[in-house]
Amino acid sequence: MTIVYEISDDLNKADIKNLGQAFPFRIPPSSLVKYQDKALIAISEVLENPTEHGSNIYNEMSVQIQVKICYPIGDQVNTDAFEQSIASFFMQKNWLRQTNNGHYIDESGHAEIDLFFKRRI
């Protein structure tokens, strides 16, 4: 099982307010209909590198993940509070938050943001 499946499962069990469901890799289009008043999350692996370059010792990897948050249309979810809850969840699991490019509107009219986190495993 890849790390995105584990994280998705952990997020779904975390009882985070306004989270409809977390998915590995992509959000199924049917979920946008099912969860019209909740945020949805897709977790993807972005980068995986050995932590020591130029060494014969291979004992640790650095992994970066993308957390795509898709908000429902309208103002049902407080984006700032929700993103704080998600960041807190990851930081409690020793993930470091990376920079992001802010919110944008997808082709279906949903507000989205891509958060990035990094950790050594």
Side-chain angles (χ1 to χ4, degrees), residues 41-55:
I41 292 178
I43 310 290
S44 301
E45 290 174 290
V46 176
L47 187 63
E48 190 172 288
N49 286 322
T51 56
E52 294 188 35
H53 293 280
S55 171

Side-chain angles (χ1 to χ4, degrees), residues 7-115:
I7 294 169
S8 299
D9 192 43
D10 288 347
L11 276 167
N12 288 326
K13 293 176 184 174
D15 195 33
I16 295 172
K17 182 181 178 186
N18 292 317
L19 174 60
Q21 190 166 352
F23 300 94
F25 302 110
R26 69 178 191 86
I27 298 169
S30 61
S31 295
L32 295 172
V33 175
K34 183 178 179 182
Y35 296 103
Q36 292 185 5
D37 60 343
K38 302 276 185 183
L40 300 172
I41 292 178
I43 310 290
S44 301
E45 290 174 290
V46 176
L47 187 63
E48 190 172 288
N49 286 322
T51 56
E52 294 188 35
H53 293 280
S55 171
N56 291 334
I57 300 170
Y58 178 80
N59 58 2
E60 202 174 51
M61 293 292 288
S62 176
V63 175
Q64 185 178 13
I65 59 168
Q66 174 185 359
V67 178
K68 176 181 285 301
I69 301 173
C70 178
Y71 291 103
I73 295 174
D75 292 331
Q76 294 105 333
V77 177
N78 179 329
T79 58
D80 292 332
F82 186 77
E83 289 163 24
Q84 236 175 9
S85 298
I86 297 301
S88 177
F89 168 86
F90 280 97
M91 294 174 85
Q92 289 173 13
K93 297 192 177 292
N94 297 320
W95 288 89
L96 301 173
R97 186 166 178 185
Q98 307 295 294
T99 59
N100 66 62
N101 292 326
H103 296 89
Y104 57 93
I105 304 296
D106 71 3
E107 62 277 354
S108 63
H110 293 89
E112 293 188 353
I113 188 168
D114 299 319
L115 303 179

